[in-house]
């Protein structure tokens, strides 16, 4: 499907400043996030190195897994130590803004077939056909760069690659939708990174923050389903994901 591209007109200084501000979800002024930034020494790096260090931290130190909800603040995602596209994206945005990198939110939905294998049984049946998805867009060296390849931690991705080592052509399932599972563009080299892009089935467009997106479009589940997911189902999902990772 066609995905909205960033306008070619450079953003104003006012826009860039607004894309570096904290929000209730991008709460990089929280003590745990400020401590992390100082401990990692990210502010001492060049912008390119800062982006890469933050990106790698969110990709690999925050394991792929399922939080209680999509609309959690970054400090809670950090405390959880796990996340999926939306929650890891919130943490990535908060950390990027904390180190002075302007970024914004791009919202989508993906077909739930992308999650089959990572999500099984009743959990898969309860999941909506189209699941809210997002990636992070950063403004660096005068251009917009799309970051989505941070969703699957390296150990989990390597486990998938080992499990499906003989697979040829496009791959969809277990949290990935990519033309080549053995060589997906997930490393920071100053360009777009993707791991679920080929599963996108609807584009909601660009938002200044995840707060703005969730205020307009909500989250994947509500009511009884949301409570059942948060307190019961996601724990079984996380055990399944950990089992896949441990098979490496």
């Amino acid at each position: 499907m066609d995905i909205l591209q960033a306008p070619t007109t450079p953003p104003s200084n006012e826009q860039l400043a607004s894309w570096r501000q904290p929000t209730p979800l991008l709460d990089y002024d929280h003590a745990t996030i400020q401590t992390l930034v100082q401990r990692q020494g990210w502010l001492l790096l060049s912008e390119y190195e800062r982006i890469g260090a933050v990106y790698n931290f969110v990709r690999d130190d925050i394991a792929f897994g399922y939080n209680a909800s999509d609309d959690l603040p970054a400090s809670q995602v950090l405390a959880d130590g796990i996340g999926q596209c939306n929650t890891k994206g919130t943490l990535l945005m908060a950390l990027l803004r904390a180190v002075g990198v302007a970024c914004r939110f791009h919202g989508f939905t993906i077909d739930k077939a992308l999650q089959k294998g990572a999500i099984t049984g009743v959990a898969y049946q309860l999941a909506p056909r189209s699941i809210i998805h997002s990636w992070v867009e950063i403004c660096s060296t005068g251009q917009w760069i799309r970051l989505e390849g941070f969703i699957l931690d390296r150990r989990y991705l390597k486990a998938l690659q080992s499990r499906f080592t003989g697979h040829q052509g496009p791959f969809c399932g277990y949290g990935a939708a990519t033309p080549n599972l053995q060589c997906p563009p997930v490393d920071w080299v100053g360009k777009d990174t993707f791991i679920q892009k080929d599963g996108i089935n609807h584009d909601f467009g660009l938002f200044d923050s995840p707060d703005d997106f969730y205020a307009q479009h909500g989250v994947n589940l509500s009511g009884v389903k949301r409570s059942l997911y948060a307190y019961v189902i996601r724990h079984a999902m996380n055990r399944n994901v950990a089992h896949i990772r441990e098979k490496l």
Side-chain angles (χ1 to χ4, degrees), residues 42-131:
W42 290 331
L43 291 169
L44 302 177
L45 305 175
S46 68
E47 181 179 86
Y48 179 89
E49 292 172 322
R50 260 180 286 152
I51 295 168
V54 168
Y55 177 91
N56 289 340
F57 175 85
V58 173
R59 185 188 64 187
D60 297 327
D61 288 57
I62 306 299
F64 173 54
Y66 298 93
N67 311 85
S69 183
D70 292 310
D71 54 348
L72 298 178
S75 58
Q76 182 60 56
V77 182
L78 180 62
D80 287 352
I82 62 170
Q84 32 81 344
C85 56
N86 302 312
T87 52
K88 289 183 78 166
T90 295
L91 179 59
L92 179 63
M93 288 187 70
L95 293 176
L96 287 170
R97 291 190 181 192
V99 298
V101 178
C103 57
R104 64 189 180 189
F105 180 103
H106 199 149
F108 305 93
T109 59
I110 51 175
D111 191 291
K112 75 173 182 178
L114 182 155
Q115 297 283 1
K116 193 171 186 178
I119 303 177
T120 60
V122 174
Y124 188 78
Q125 296 301 318
L126 285 176
R129 183 66 191 179
S130 293
I131 300 172

Side-chain angles (χ1 to χ4, degrees), residues 108-241:
F108 305 93
T109 59
I110 51 175
D111 191 291
K112 75 173 182 178
L114 182 155
Q115 297 283 1
K116 193 171 186 178
I119 303 177
T120 60
V122 174
Y124 188 78
Q125 296 301 318
L126 285 176
R129 183 66 191 179
S130 293
I131 300 172
I132 288 174
H133 173 62
S134 60
W135 68 44
V136 176
E137 300 193 358
I138 62 170
C139 189
S140 179
T141 64
Q143 62 180 332
W144 286 103
I145 302 171
R146 302 172 294 178
L147 302 179
E148 189 207 47
F150 58 84
I151 300 167
L152 304 184
D153 60 272
R154 187 173 293 279
R155 283 191 63 214
Y156 180 84
L157 179 58
K158 284 185 177 295
L160 288 189
Q161 291 168 332
S162 177
R163 186 169 184 168
F164 297 99
T165 187
H167 181 86
Q168 300 292 321
F171 182 90
C172 182
Y174 291 84
T178 179
N180 184 352
L181 181 65
Q182 299 303 322
C183 192
V186 295
D187 292 325
W188 168 248
V189 292
K191 299 178 181 179
D192 297 341
T193 71
F194 298 117
I195 192 60
Q196 295 185 348
K197 177 174 176 286
D198 288 8
I200 290 172
N201 59 18
H202 179 74
D203 186 352
F204 286 114
L206 298 165
F207 296 80
D208 289 341
S209 69
D211 311 58
D212 294 341
F213 175 82
Y214 295 125
Q216 185 171 336
H217 295 289
V219 295
N220 280 306
L221 298 173
S222 60
V224 174
K225 283 187 177 181
R226 180 169 181 167
S227 296
L228 186 62
Y229 165 81
Y231 293 106
V232 180
I233 292 174
R234 74 182 183 95
H235 297 296
M237 293 161 57
N238 284 331
R239 286 193 295 271
N240 183 55
V241 168

